[in-house]
Amino acid sequence: MSLRRRALLKMGAAAGAAMALSWGTAADADAAPSAGHAPSPGVRGAVPRAFAAPGSAVRPKFRWWWPDALVDTDEIAREIDQIAAAGFGGVEIAAVTHSMRGGETIDPVRYGWGTPAWVRAVEAALRQAKKRDITVDLTLGPAWPNSVPSLTPDSPAAVKELAHGTVTLTAGQSWTGAPPAPGTPPAEGVTKQELKLVQAIRITDAAARPVLLDRTTVTDITGAVADGELRWTAPDDGGAWLVIAYWERGSGQRPEGPHHTDPLSYVIDHFSAEGTRAAIDFWERHLLPPSTRKLLRETGGALFEDSIELETDETMWTPALPAEFEKRMGYSLLPYLATVVERDEDPVHAFGPEIDKAVRRDVIEVLTVLYVEYHLKPFQEWAHRLGLRLRVQPYGPGTDSVWSAAVLDVSEGESLGFKNPDDFRCLAGGRDMGGKRVLSNEAGATAGGAYATTWDATLRKLVTQYAAGVNQAVFHGFAYAEAPGAAWPGFAAFSPYNGGAGYGEAWGPRQPTWGHVSDIAGYLSRTQLILQTGVNKADIGILRQKGPAGTGLGAPWFTAEGVPVGWTHLFLSPRLLDLPSAKVRDGRLAPQGPAFKALVIEGDVLSGKDRTMQIDVAEKLIGYAKAGLPLIVIGDWSDAHVPGLAGPGDNERLRVLLAELLALPKVRVVPDRPYVPEAITALGLRRDVEYAQRSWLVHAHRADEDADYFFFAADSVTKGAANARVDHDVTLTTRRRDAVPYRLDAWTGAVEPLPLYSRTEDGRIRLRVTLEPGATAIVALVRPGAWADHPYVSAADSEAAQVLRDAGGRLEVRDVRPGTYRTTLHDGRTVETVLGGLPEPMPLTRWSLTVEDWQPGARPSQTLKPRRAFVLDALAPWPSVPGLEDVSGIGRYRTTVHLRAPWTGGYGAYLDLGEVFDTFRVTVNGHRLPPADQLTPRVDVGPYLRRGANTVEVEVATTLLNRLRVANASVFGVAKRQNYGLVGPVRLAPYGRAPLI
């Protein structure tokens, strides 16, 4: 059934914001900023109650940067109080001091990470966090990567590299002397390097890059080394020979930033049991006295580890790799070692594309297993013994991050390094197939964004990540107040950075927007509550032949063409098919989890779309297709081969299996990505959410026993989506034909049955989604009786612009045009409503403005806030107002509006704010309005207006950039001023309203 455009529910834009705000009463508006809101009249149930006042477990968190242990316990308690009062649910304590350079130092003996001072500070944070009902996470080492001061670069548990040196000999030439030394010198502190192997290999093409070698000539000449001297003569065969000496040594990598410890900390081997044991042993000896253990059990959340940023000029290595490789891959790595070694992360030698790709792939596969088995799992088991979870960013050197996400308690991506939503969908696929609940996000880390990052931009980016599977934000970050050398407005871990402004934002009370942030925290908490409820559902699984995350690569057809019409997808790696969830029932893969309707198979998109597949994967796919799961296979697989080094008959066996697979009735083969829709049609697939037109709308779908939850967002950050408004019908598939649709307002906490929607003939729910760029909406399809004892009256169609519910839950119509409007209710009745004449919209141009001008005080973290008054005959950005060019702070705009008949009696009005920078709150006649959608600057002021004089106030908060341009010109002076303030145009727009029944 098609419904007229204006007659359906509008969410989150003009009507949506108005609808949310009109539910409150004047008394509600005066409530404390962090107070929850009761569900709408007659609505009950665990989810509506929790949605009104979300608990700390679902609230967003902060990465809390400390200048090592140079902190004060009173200040720690104060900052915990500030974070809790602002509505955040946890902190992650991290020793990060990247902004400290030159002569700025912290005594690592007294105040280093892991010292008694650090332990005392952590306990102070835990005690105060317990009082304020928030959790504390701890990083597994100072900064990153994971490291401890109990190691030297030569320690067996320290991170290793395989260095190599070469010499070229002509035919018949002899070499007498030390084996070729490594091509790069050892890192500082590395005193040992052990010769592991010497090989001679005939050169096929010395000019090629990488140098091409003849694999059939690989000769082990390690036995020719005696007393530190190599004696060997190249064959007199007319060709040149390369002698390669392989040296194992510590890489000498240290954690990021200045010295955090004394002695210095060194990065642990992430692929060995020794590395993990060294870190755990250090923690057990130095960081976990009984008092800390007790506090961690009471209020600790998780241990955290950042991404796998292992850096070396040579080859990433672990001593057990050759033995582990042969055990797991069934062949020796040593004859192929020349094609594995790197310099500056690039291969140096090659045997040919088929061999090179296969062996390098097999190395990454083994490193993946070692990382999971010897690093992630032991750390996670240890965390559990402490009463904690393990949260990790499990990506870096090409390992299978998707599988790691299935293993971890909590996997995490990042807003800075992940290039698009599909990067998050990789981790979400692992999370969901592994039966885990949370996908975290290091949120708000913007390059060059220090003291210039707006909440508007942060939310716009975050909501698209929520739609891709994220359901926890850990903001980057909240900085401790002061540190040596810090300038106003205080210490910030990444600002200044290498002489520039730095990245990320130092959120907190030193920011003018902090007074408004509880509104944002409440909005995010309610959103995360819904996105952590039940299990995540997706239409399509995309099976990749490898599982790294953070590649920036999307899915075939579905990313570019499918998402804009409503398809959802997640990524799987081959190892996920070994999980208990990877079963097919009723034509769905993982029916208790994502419940994929189909699986899409393409060649290795990370390696030129090679038609590679593991034999066991092909066997599983045959079983899935026979069990009723539709499969879409892209491309010609007649030349398919196994992804690693093939054994005898492996490729032939794979091709026989694929021929069997492709002949099955539930399998469709298409020549390339653009033909995927033909396969969708042939298989009879239908998405859970159908958009009436292509748009920048994105969504996530979750389900529990009582309801299906749909989170919608207007994507405004993906390339091409800037300022894209969404306004069209969507059709939602229901598990029950009698499901009752509800709307959940994440800004206010209100929950109400939808006032306007229709049912299609096949039982689906059709409604309209109207969203401004970056705005969101949540709809739940609820089992009858779960949230209310009696059915609510709703409308199926209306000639009026809007059908809403008033504060008592009764239906009413609204429109900006006078006239008689017919509305059809779901019980079949038709109601006529008359709306009388309306006054014209009223521009509000003259304002008094009081500015709280934030300026440096006597201490780095002290801010002076003198007030300055202005009278504006026309609104303009602060840099255009004389005297406000380089001012940051809080602006309070005030105007008086005189209203006479017909403005009163049966009428209401929206306050259209136009352009606002950055956060805002609205007060009318002394009543502060409920939290406003910060992405949709229109609020319903109707319930607060009165006959005669009305005072309207708009409080606007800014970043600190404009003031820092002059207060710290050497760092921020090159930045362009930001256009602060209430820019407008602002107008009061009347609407008529009348009850329906």
Side-chain angles (χ1 to χ4, degrees):
M1 164 176 187
S2 178
L3 301 183
R4 67 181 66 202
R5 168 176 173 157
R6 290 184 298 101
L8 288 170
L9 175 65
K10 300 176 185 291
M11 293 189 248
M19 199 190 324
L21 295 174
S22 68
W23 293 340
T25 65
D28 294 330
D30 292 325
S34 58
H37 296 260
S40 294
V43 176
R44 57 169 170 75
V47 170
R49 286 196 302 271
F51 191 75
S56 60
V58 297
R59 296 178 199 157
K61 306 173 186 290
F62 275 117
R63 184 158 293 174
W64 190 12
W65 296 309
W66 285 9
D68 295 335
L70 188 58
V71 293
D72 175 76
T73 54
D74 289 339
E75 177 61 25
I76 286 173
R78 184 162 42 250
E79 294 185 9
I80 286 281
D81 287 344
Q82 292 164 346
I83 290 167
F88 290 80
V91 294
E92 172 208 312
I93 299 173
V96 183
T97 54
H98 281 52
S99 62
M100 298 176 63
R101 291 291 187 268
E104 305 159 9
T105 60
I106 294 174
D107 181 358
V109 175
R110 296 180 62 191
Y111 301 114
W113 178 87
T115 60
W118 176 267
V119 174
R120 288 193 297 271
V122 168
E123 288 195 353
L126 288 165
R127 284 192 297 271
Q128 192 65 19
K130 180 182 177 182
K131 294 178 183 177
R132 297 307 304 264
D133 187 31
I134 67 174
T135 59
V136 175
D137 296 353
L138 300 174
T139 59
L140 278 170
W144 70 93
N146 192 340
S147 59
V148 287
S150 55
L151 303 180
T152 72
D154 298 326
S155 298
V159 64
K160 296 293 185 288
E161 66 182 7
L162 187 69
H164 71 281
T166 62
V167 63
T168 301
L169 303 179
T170 59
Q173 183 180 359
S174 296
W175 175 270
T176 300
T184 59
E188 181 182 355
V190 177
T191 64
K192 300 177 182 178
Q193 55 184 16
E194 180 182 356
L195 181 68
K196 305 300 291 186
L197 178 69
V198 184
Q199 293 176 331
I201 312 173
R202 197 174 192 276
I203 298 173
T204 301
D205 186 351
R209 291 295 179 269
V211 175
L212 188 61
L213 305 177
D214 182 351
R215 183 186 63 84
T216 64
T217 66
V218 174
T219 306
D220 183 350
I221 60 172
T222 311
V225 179
D227 298 325
E229 187 173 82
L230 170 65
R231 296 175 179 270
W232 186 75
T233 300
D236 191 9
D237 58 0
W241 284 73
L242 188 71
V243 174
I244 310 176
Y246 303 93
W247 303 83
E248 185 179 277
R249 67 191 185 191
S251 75
Q253 185 176 359
R254 290 170 33 207
E256 291 283 331
H259 300 176
H260 297 280
T261 60
D262 184 73
L264 294 174
S265 291
Y266 288 91
V267 175
I268 65 170
D269 184 348
H270 284 49
F271 307 105
S272 74
E274 290 81 3
T276 303
R277 190 179 306 115
I280 292 175
D281 287 349
F282 182 86
W283 274 75
E284 292 284 352
R285 290 195 305 270
H286 300 285
L287 291 169
L288 296 171
S291 53
T292 302
R293 291 175 186 270
K294 181 176 183 294
L295 286 165
L296 283 173
R297 286 193 173 276
E298 293 171 342
T299 196
L303 297 176
F304 171 74
E305 186 177 51
D306 217 304
S307 51
I308 317 171
E309 298 182 31
L310 302 180
E311 298 174 354
T312 172
D313 292 334
E314 291 282 345
T315 307
M316 186 173 61
W317 191 252
T318 187
L321 182 58
E324 293 279 3
F325 187 95
E326 188 162 4
K327 179 174 71 174
R328 299 173 189 278
M329 288 297 159
Y331 68 96
S332 174
L333 174 64
L334 299 184
Y336 302 92
L337 201 53
T339 191
V340 173
V341 294
E342 298 178 337
R343 189 155 290 153
D344 293 329
E345 300 184 357
D346 290 324
V348 182
H349 314 111
F351 289 134
E354 292 78 11
I355 293 174
D356 299 335
K357 284 183 181 181
V359 175
R360 292 168 191 165
R361 176 265 182 194
D362 286 349
V363 168
I364 291 298
E365 289 297 297
V366 173
L367 288 176
T368 292
V369 174
L370 301 184
Y371 173 65
V372 171
E373 296 297 330
Y374 293 149
H375 188 85
L376 293 185
K377 287 184 177 179
F379 271 122
Q380 187 157 281
E381 291 165 2
W382 174 61
H384 293 174
R385 292 197 297 272
L386 296 173
L388 306 173
R389 296 186 297 168
L390 184 65
R391 174 168 57 90
V392 176
Q393 296 177 353
Y395 45 88
T399 52
D400 188 347
S401 311
V402 176
W403 180 45
S404 297
V407 171
L408 283 163
D409 295 325
V410 179
S411 53
E412 181 171 284
E414 57 179 287
S415 58
L416 183 64
F418 278 20
K419 301 171 182 63
N420 61 37
D422 276 334
D423 286 340
F424 289 101
R425 292 186 180 106
C426 290
L427 297 182
R431 173 202 62 186
D432 294 339
M433 290 294 290
K436 304 303 192 292
R437 183 169 60 93
V438 175
L439 172 57
S440 186
N441 178 23
E442 180 186 350
T446 304
Y451 298 109
T453 300
T454 65
W455 278 108
D456 176 285
T458 301
L459 293 179
R460 285 171 183 259
K461 191 170 187 178
L462 182 57
V463 298
T464 64
Q465 296 159 352
Y466 280 151
V470 168
N471 54 11
Q472 173 177 280
V474 181
F475 282 98
H476 181 291
F478 187 104
Y480 182 81
E482 296 192 11
W488 183 81
F491 172 63
F494 297 99
S495 182
Y497 187 69
N498 292 335
Y503 66 94
E505 188 57 271
W507 305 108
R510 290 173 279 151
Q511 294 276 6
T513 56
W514 189 252
H516 297 166
V517 81
S518 61
D519 295 351
I520 294 169
Y523 162 73
L524 295 175
S525 299
R526 295 183 185 98
T527 299
Q528 293 185 173
L529 167 71
I530 295 302
L531 294 176
Q532 291 183 30
T533 297
V535 295
N536 192 39
K537 299 294 182 181
D539 295 319
I540 302 295
I542 309 293
L543 178 62
R544 282 191 166 159
Q545 310 307 317
K546 296 176 184 172
T551 65
L553 295 175
W557 186 80
F558 285 94
T559 296
E561 304 296 330
V563 168
V565 296
W567 288 97
T568 56
H569 62 279
L570 297 174
F571 294 91
L572 288 73
S573 68
R575 284 187 178 85
L576 296 192
L577 303 186
D578 294 327
L579 296 174
S581 63
K583 302 292 187 295
V584 174
R585 189 176 72 238
D586 298 328
R588 299 291 182 95
L589 175 63
Q592 299 302 312
F596 297 116
K597 301 177 179 67
L599 201 57
V600 174
I601 298 99
E602 191 178 36
D604 186 356
V605 296
L606 301 175
S607 186
K609 298 184 184 178
D610 274 357
R611 310 300 182 192
T612 64
M613 185 181 294
Q614 297 172 196
I615 289 175
D616 64 323
V617 169
E619 292 170 338
K620 289 184 177 71
L621 295 180
I622 290 171
Y624 293 160
K626 288 181 177 179
L629 178 70
L631 272 64
I632 300 174
V633 180
I634 299 176
D636 178 3
W637 286 73
S638 59
D639 62 347
H641 56 91
V642 295
L645 199 63
D650 282 352
N651 290 335
E652 292 75 13
R653 170 65 178 154
L654 174 65
R655 291 165 190 165
V656 169
L657 289 170
L658 288 175
E660 179 183 353
L661 174 70
L662 301 183
L664 295 174
K666 281 292 185 178
V667 178
R668 291 294 183 275
V669 181
V670 296
D672 207 347
R673 295 175 176 180
Y675 299 91
V676 166
E678 295 179 7
I680 291 173
T681 300
L683 291 167
L685 301 177
R686 187 170 73 181
R687 52 201 181 273
D688 281 348
V689 179
E690 182 178 318
Y691 302 165
Q693 64 188 57
R694 286 178 54 88
S695 74
W696 290 104
L697 185 66
V698 291
H699 74 272
H701 174 198
R702 307 222 22 130
D704 63 12
E705 292 182 357
D706 286 336
D708 287 84
Y709 306 88
F710 297 90
F711 167 83
F712 295 99
D715 181 358
S716 63
V717 296
T718 300
K719 185 177 179 180
N723 299 318
R725 187 171 185 266
V726 171
D727 185 7
H728 58 73
D729 292 356
V730 298
T731 305
L732 310 179
T733 300
T734 63
R735 283 182 291 168
R736 300 176 55 109
R737 294 180 67 92
D738 56 354
V740 180
Y742 284 74
R743 179 177 182 271
L744 296 81
D745 189 313
W747 285 102
T748 67
V751 177
E752 68 152 8
L754 278 180
L756 180 63
Y757 65 93
S758 68
R759 292 188 190 271
T760 62
E761 292 182 357
D762 58 359
R764 293 184 294 164
I765 299 292
R766 191 175 190 132
L767 50 87
R768 194 162 198 87
V769 172
T770 303
L771 294 172
E772 295 301 313
T776 64
I778 300 172
V779 173
L781 305 183
V782 184
R783 174 176 57 83
W787 289 8
D789 290 324
H790 57 85
Y792 280 78
V793 176
S794 297
D797 194 5
S798 180
E799 295 173 346
Q802 297 173 272
V803 177
L804 305 174
R805 294 190 189 276
D806 64 16
R810 297 176 297 271
L811 288 183
E812 67 174 37
V813 294
R814 290 187 188 179
D815 209 305
V816 296
R817 309 158 303 161
T820 300
Y821 297 96
R822 289 161 50 91
T823 300
T824 302
L825 304 179
H826 275 288
D827 61 10
R829 286 178 292 165
T830 298
V831 181
E832 287 192 351
T833 310
V834 178
L835 299 179
L838 290 168
E840 292 296 317
M842 180 181 298
L844 306 182
T845 56
R846 184 175 176 82
W847 298 79
S848 65
L849 170 61
T850 301
V851 173
E852 197 174 83
D853 181 0
W854 287 37
Q855 303 175 5
R859 293 177 56 85
S861 62
Q862 181 185 17
T863 300
L864 304 178
K865 302 174 183 178
R867 296 196 173 191
R868 308 172 65 184
F870 300 83
V871 175
L872 305 177
D873 291 323
L875 292 171
W878 287 12
S880 300
V881 177
L884 289 180
E885 295 89 342
D886 290 304
V887 170
S888 296
I890 299 173
R892 296 178 176 90
Y893 293 79
R894 182 186 179 102
T895 191
T896 300
V897 183
H898 293 274
L899 300 180
R900 303 178 181 85
W903 273 91
T904 56
Y907 299 104
Y910 299 121
L911 182 66
D912 288 326
L913 297 176
E915 181 182 346
V916 187
F917 189 110
D918 172 27
T919 60
F920 67 92
R921 279 179 172 168
V922 176
T923 302
V924 176
N925 293 327
H927 298 295
R928 188 207 293 172
L929 273 62
D933 183 343
Q934 299 292 301
L935 283 304
T936 306
R938 167 182 264 204
V939 295
D940 183 7
V941 296
Y944 310 95
L945 297 175
R946 62 196 179 199
R947 183 188 297 270
N950 290 264
T951 301
V952 177
E953 298 172 282
V954 182
E955 182 177 273
V956 178
T958 76
T959 69
L960 283 177
L961 178 67
N962 288 6
R963 173 55 68 188
L964 283 168
R965 289 181 70 258
V966 293
N968 193 350
S970 62
V971 175
F972 297 94
V974 297
K976 182 181 178 181
R977 290 187 181 106
Q978 294 179 314
N979 284 330
Y980 293 160
L982 178 61
V983 180
V986 179
R987 68 173 192 161
L988 205 59
Y991 59 77
R993 56 181 296 193
L996 271 175
I997 52 174

